[in-house]
């Protein structure tokens, strides 16, 4: 089955700890994205990557970091600098980056992060 | 910067009622528009998309949307809703230029509750 997997589904973290959320896709997609979803706020873009070894900040990148060492993987680290990290985090991927705007993004099941 | 507005935060309907969810975007150039749906406990998935063809777009599960360029609108419609349509619906527009081309700007979402 092709798709996007995110792990873990639920994650609890103590204040002051960094935590890494996993995102893997086997769709052979070039572009990958991380969003944060809060009630009543829609989806806000944290980081995106259009090609391996390259990534760009989205609208709310402060307190987050990413890497893109492999095409199929795009992990997100929520650092202790993120002031309000409790949220639902969604990973997405897309067949091609900027040149093929008609392709839609496919989403993973999400990780719910709670900071205690 | 582009933005997407969804007029209703929460819509409550009885089964068999007609549905129209509003979506307006701010970008004046060529746009690609999407409606995504998030059923309780499920992945965000694509309902339909518009790419410079017939302004009336048909999607899955009996949904359709009409692109009206002069009104910057892309409203979602369904003639007769079912209890299973209970979900959160997101309108999104593709950034159409620059390095972030292909990125999606999402509205804040509309929760639809259908009473059996």
């Amino acid at each position: 089955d092709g798709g996007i997997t995110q792990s873990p589904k639920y994650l609890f973290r103590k204040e002051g700890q960094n935590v890494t959320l996993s995102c893997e896709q086997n769709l052979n997609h070039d572009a990958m994205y991380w969003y944060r979803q809060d009630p009543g706020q829609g989806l806000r873009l944290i980081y995106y990557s259009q090609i391996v070894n390259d990534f760009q900040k989205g609208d709310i990148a402060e307190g987050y970091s990413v890497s893109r060492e492999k095409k199929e993987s795009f992990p997100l680290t929520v650092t202790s600098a993120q002031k309000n990290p409790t949220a639902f985090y969604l990973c997405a991927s897309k067949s091609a980056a900027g040149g093929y705007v008609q392709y839609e993004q496919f989403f993973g099941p999400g990780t719910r992060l709670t900071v205690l | 910067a582009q933005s997407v507005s969804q007029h209703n935060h929460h819509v409550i309907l009885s089964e068999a009622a007609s549905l129209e969810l509003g979506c307006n975007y701010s970008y004046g150039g060529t746009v690609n528009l999407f409606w995504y749906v998030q059923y309780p406990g499920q992945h965000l998935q694509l309902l339909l998309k518009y790419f410079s063809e017939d302004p009336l777009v048909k999607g899955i599960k009996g949904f359709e949307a009409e692109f009206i360029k002069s009104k910057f609108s892309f409203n979602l419609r369904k003639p007769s809703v079912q209890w299973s349509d209970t979900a959160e619906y997101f309108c999104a527009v593709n950034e159409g230029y620059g390095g972030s081309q292909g990125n999606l700007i999402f509205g804040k979402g509309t929760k639809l509750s259908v009473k059996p």
Side-chain angles (χ1 to χ4, degrees):
Chain A
D1 257 350
I4 302 173
T5 55
Q6 291 186 243
S7 60
K9 187 173 180 180
Y10 298 97
L11 187 57
F12 297 88
R13 183 195 102 179
K14 292 183 181 177
E15 276 194 46
Q17 288 180 338
N18 292 357
V19 63
T20 297
L21 282 57
S22 167
C23 177
E24 304 276 332
Q25 54 98 359
N26 61 3
L27 301 167
N28 199 32
H29 284 175
D30 297 295
M32 296 187 74
Y33 307 82
W34 273 106
Y35 293 91
R36 171 180 170 138
Q37 185 179 8
D38 297 282
Q41 295 295 315
L43 278 69
R44 293 181 289 168
L45 183 64
I46 304 172
Y47 267 98
Y48 64 101
S49 168
Q50 299 189 348
I51 195 168
V52 174
N53 293 321
D54 187 51
F55 48 82
Q56 306 296 330
K57 290 182 180 180
D59 300 317
I60 56 164
E62 186 176 349
Y64 300 98
S65 65
V66 293
S67 62
R68 186 88 186 275
E69 296 176 3
K70 298 186 294 183
K71 188 175 184 179
E72 60 270 22
S73 178
F74 191 41
L76 173 75
T77 296
V78 184
T79 75
S80 56
Q82 169 48 235
K83 296 192 187 317
N84 185 21
T86 294
F88 189 53
Y89 291 88
L90 288 168
C91 178
S93 70
K94 182 176 157 183
S95 178
Y100 296 92
V101 295
Q102 67 269 32
Y103 295 157
E104 68 265 27
Q105 291 183 19
F106 291 81
F107 286 81
T111 292
R112 190 165 296 281
L113 172 64
T114 303
V115 174
L116 304 172
Chain B
Q2 292 190 56
S3 64
V4 176
S5 297
Q6 292 185 241
H7 313 300
N8 306 102
H9 177 61
H10 192 185
V11 172
I12 302 172
L13 295 173
S14 297
E15 276 194 317
S18 64
L19 170 71
E20 181 160 2
L21 300 182
C23 173
N24 287 91
Y25 61 93
S26 63
Y27 183 56
T30 301
V31 290
N32 306 121
L33 294 152
F34 305 79
W35 275 98
Y36 281 86
V37 61
Q38 191 174 37
Y39 296 103
Q42 293 190 28
H43 298 204
L44 203 67
Q45 58 186 280
L46 184 73
L47 265 182
L48 48 79
K49 60 183 178 182
Y50 168 78
F51 288 104
S52 304
E53 60 249 15
D54 188 337
L56 187 61
V57 180
K58 302 265 186 215
I60 61 170
K61 304 189 180 187
F63 285 91
E64 65 178 31
E66 185 175 11
F67 171 60
I68 304 179
K69 189 174 182 180
S70 61
K71 294 184 178 181
F72 297 88
S73 71
F74 190 55
N75 292 354
L76 181 71
R77 301 195 293 241
K78 187 170 183 180
S80 175
V81 294
Q82 301 173 310
W83 177 79
S84 58
D85 293 323
T86 295
E88 190 159 18
Y89 294 81
F90 295 94
C91 181
V93 63
N94 229 332
E95 291 219 48
Y97 56 90
S100 59
Q101 188 183 42
N103 289 1
L104 292 179
I105 307 296
F106 282 87
K108 292 188 176 182
T110 298
K111 281 189 182 175
L112 172 65
S113 299
V114 180
K115 298 184 291 185

